[in-house]
Amino acid sequence: MFLINALQLYDGGFVLIDPQVAETIGEASIAPAFPNDEKSGRLPPSAVTSRFLTGMQCREESFGEDAFGFFEGLGHGLEHFLSCKDVALDCIIFPGLAAGPVEAVLPGVGRGLAFCSDDAYLSRGCERVLPSEKVDGVFRAHSRSECEKAKWTIADVGIGLGGDRSDTGLGEGDDSTDADDLGLHCDTDLVGIRIDCDDGEGSDDGIVFGQARQREKSDAGQEGEKAEHDAIRFLKDTMQSIGLGRSSNPVMSRILHLVGVLALFTSLASSAEKPNILMIAIDDQNDWIGYLEGHPDVKTPHIDALAKTGTAFTNAHCQSPLCNPSRTSLMLSKRPGSTGIYGLSPWFRDVPELAELESLPQYLKRHGYRTYTAGKIYHGGYGRRPKDTEWDEIGPGATAKPFPPKPMVKSPSGHKLMDWGVFDHEDEDKGDFKIASWTVDKLDSMPKDEPFFLSCGFFLPHVPCFATQKWFDLYPVETTSLPIIKRDDRKDTPRFSWYLHWKLPEPRLEFLEDADEWLNLTRSYLACTSFVDDQVRRVMEAVDRNGLRENTIIVLWSDHGWHIGEKEITGKNTLWDDGTRVPLIFAGPGVVAGQVCGQPAELLDIYPTLAELAGLPEKSGLEGISLVPQLEDASTKRARPAITTHNAGNHGIRSENWRYIIYADGSEELYDMVNDPNEWTNLASDTKYADVLEEHRKFIPKGDLPPAPNSKHRILIYEDGKVNWEGNDVGADDPIPEITR
């Protein structure tokens, strides 16, 4: 078993001492803990400095002033916060060096403990340090709500696990433990209590709870009085009150093996279980959802009901307005420009440089979740192939079936999917109904002894937009509104904006009007949206029927928007709100109900948000930022806008009140989203808005990768002033396809 000897907090640092490291501090023994990559922001072995414990004593080393980051445990991907810039360390952490199933013992490492004060805290990691970077000389982990739940007000409490390899000196039942009992003499006083337990294999393991305080020194360098160790009294009382503390108690052994010592600490304070996670994805769903008010006639009562039980985002945006790059970005929490995934191909696992990235389901699986999926989560069949390792259990895939006997619409492209309307079939025949049924069956039979991550991806309202008559009846021909458009809306947009959707299967508005299909497509899309809303109802009823609501995090999202005539087109592949704005809802434990948040949010924020809500270690390398601060208080400001990329060099930047677009040739657009929510007036050339432009230019992504090998479908390349769309050069004077007037 992998055991850790002690943990303490001092002036912003933790200490977690692996007994093996305590015996041997040589560089060879610690090198595996540090990825040798200075550019990653992590410390290579040569930069490993600070103080180390050797034989339970400290020795002085130097510590680089700019060193900060995450150290990863060997072979386990175990991550734990070590230090922040300008924050001193007393001792350093070495998790993960020993062999063995670390996940089974320490799933909570990296999340940290609840270090709180009455009025100041740091929610997570280095990036959220409050002004002056330290509060009361202490770096605090966890959010305010967790601290309050734990009723923890001591700012510097340590927790550690002691085992048979390194005796802590704490005797069984010893009620008079002091710093000397631990043998720690690093100008620090540490007190704690040891709780013995039986792991069922004859070893004598235990938990040490305690507090560490740096000894204050006077101007003359004399040691001051030792601080009171009142935390220990609280911890003892807590342990006694729940009946833990003797090796004869089998509960302690189970908790140690299945939950881990840090998760145990959380359970002592809040008695919380690891939450389940239900993820509901909807394909090509724009803002035609009731709570988003994207269409005046839309009826989505069940999605709206879910929104009221949690926090609903009204300014959430995809990272790419296309299925494969958007979903890849979400599941990896990396921007398209960081992976080179811009088109419908390739699958990122087929790119050698990306193949080993840990996706959201893999991360959750590593931390004790059983993972299930049905429908469309990744694009197409990606993640569902026999060689793929994304999921434990895979249900039915997404499908557009059933199709009518013959096409209902003759679109210019003739593509089989460019079809919509109503024909004689049953809801039960549809792929999304079967996906919901599989999901419901899983919820009805889900094991109660392990947390689950269940993802359910609906295909509609992606084209072909076929629905049964009862859903069309919700949107009568006589009263259904067409999308609001402005004629000649593209006159003040750069020509380069057309290159992002130069030639596509999706038809232009011109075709819809000439063929009298605009209202038919509008009704079809609305009908499919309401049908999917009803599948959400079925899934949520199963959640409630099985008593899962209180301990299940629910997140609902769409991969991008969809135009139905706006900007003279249909489909996605744009950087305007109609192409990027999506529903995003979180509900469940850790989420304040009844909130609506207008702050910019990104789909790549889902990964770190779920990790934090689930109480899991912070995952390094993610580009998203947790939305937990907004889930706790919807008025909390975001540090950055939402950014959407469609091929290298083309970016849409959506802040709270503005949309800024820059294309690969340098042409720009700017819209006042408060006074011009339809994006009809491009203000980029108006000198009055120079400051607004400069503020948004700061967020333009730098260093977009070129398309990954074997990229195809919707690939736009701009090099040396030349435009290439899907392998074909486009001349500066070439007519725009399917636009004749």
Side-chain angles (χ1 to χ4, degrees), residues 1 3-7 17 19 159-168 170 193-197 204-209 256 261:
M1 179 187 292
L3 297 174
I4 288 175
N5 185 267
L7 177 67
I17 307 107
I159 178 175
L161 173 65
D164 54 354
R165 290 205 54 180
S166 183
D167 187 8
T168 62
L170 293 176
I193 55 174
R194 175 174 176 135
I195 304 300
D196 293 316
C197 60
D204 179 21
D205 301 330
I207 298 176
V208 177
F209 291 90
L256 274 173
V261 64

Side-chain angles (χ1 to χ4, degrees), residues 675-686:
N675 298 304
D676 180 24
N678 296 304
E679 299 167 304
W680 286 343
T681 304
N682 181 9
L683 303 172
S685 61
D686 191 331

Side-chain angles (χ1 to χ4, degrees), residues 126-187:
C126 298
E127 69 275 17
R128 296 189 195 160
V129 179
L130 295 178
S132 79
E133 298 215 346
K134 288 182 288 187
V135 180
D136 299 332
V138 175
F139 190 92
R140 295 175 180 80
H142 274 209
S143 66
R144 182 190 296 275
S145 65
E146 289 169 306
C147 291
E148 291 174 348
K149 185 185 296 183
K151 297 181 180 178
W152 199 261
T153 58
I154 306 303
D156 51 357
V157 172
I159 178 175
L161 173 65
D164 54 354
R165 290 205 54 180
S166 183
D167 187 8
T168 62
L170 293 176
E172 293 184 11
D174 187 353
D175 291 332
S176 59
T177 301
D178 59 22
D180 291 335
D181 286 328
L182 285 176
L184 294 176
H185 304 286
C186 305
D187 293 329

Side-chain angles (χ1 to χ4, degrees), residues 426-641:
E426 301 296 328
D427 283 352
E428 290 77 6
D429 300 331
K430 303 183 77 63
D432 284 346
F433 189 94
K434 296 174 182 178
I435 289 166
S437 295
W438 185 89
T439 303
V440 167
D441 289 344
K442 285 298 172 185
L443 290 168
D444 285 342
S445 59
M446 198 66 74
K448 306 299 183 184
D449 58 349
E450 64 179 344
F452 64 79
F453 171 51
L454 174 57
S455 59
C456 166
F458 296 118
F459 177 81
L460 291 170
H462 191 292
V463 287
C465 295
F466 299 134
T468 57
Q469 188 63 52
K470 73 175 183 177
W471 303 111
F472 270 81
D473 289 344
L474 295 176
Y475 304 101
V477 171
E478 299 79 11
T479 59
T480 298
S481 304
L482 288 170
I484 300 173
I485 67 164
K486 177 185 177 183
R487 296 294 174 182
D488 299 325
D489 190 13
R490 302 293 286 266
K491 280 190 173 181
D492 64 350
T493 64
R495 175 179 168 84
F496 208 97
S497 67
W498 284 104
Y499 297 148
L500 272 64
H501 40 261
W502 184 248
K503 187 172 179 59
L504 294 170
E506 293 92 337
R508 313 295 195 189
L509 173 62
E510 182 175 321
F511 164 77
L512 294 182
E513 292 188 303
D514 290 350
D516 195 22
E517 287 290 341
W518 194 9
L519 180 59
N520 186 20
L521 176 56
T522 300
R523 295 180 67 219
S524 299
Y525 190 92
L526 289 167
C528 289
T529 296
S530 291
F531 166 75
V532 169
D533 177 76
D534 197 56
Q535 307 317 301
V536 173
R537 171 191 63 80
R538 296 176 60 211
V539 171
M540 294 311 302
E541 285 179 352
V543 169
D544 291 334
R545 179 171 64 249
N546 289 282
L548 297 170
R549 177 80 73 147
E550 288 188 4
N551 196 38
T552 300
I553 300 165
I554 301 160
V555 57
L556 180 147
W557 52 268
S558 166
D559 54 353
H560 46 69
W562 219 76
H563 291 246
I564 303 183
E566 303 92 344
K567 299 291 183 184
E568 303 183 29
I569 63 170
T570 67
K572 44 234 182 186
N573 298 279
T574 82
L575 296 174
W576 299 296
D577 257 30
D578 288 312
T580 70
R581 189 182 184 220
V582 295
L584 178 61
I585 300 168
F586 285 88
V591 181
V592 173
Q595 290 194 121
V596 176
C597 182
Q599 290 295 303
E602 302 181 280
L603 292 181
L604 57 70
D605 297 330
I606 291 174
Y607 191 152
T609 302
L610 291 178
E612 183 169 2
L613 286 174
L616 302 179
E618 188 171 356
K619 168 75 174 170
S620 64
L622 304 185
E623 297 181 14
I625 299 175
S626 173
L627 293 165
V628 167
Q630 287 70 39
L631 301 182
E632 295 176 342
D633 181 354
S635 66
T636 303
K637 296 292 185 180
R638 292 277 282 168
R640 68 187 185 196

Side-chain angles (χ1 to χ4, degrees), residues 81 244 248 278 289 316 444 457 493 525 676 684:
F81 174 75
L244 297 178
S248 59
L278 170 63
I289 298 291
D444 285 342
T493 64
Y525 190 92
D676 180 24

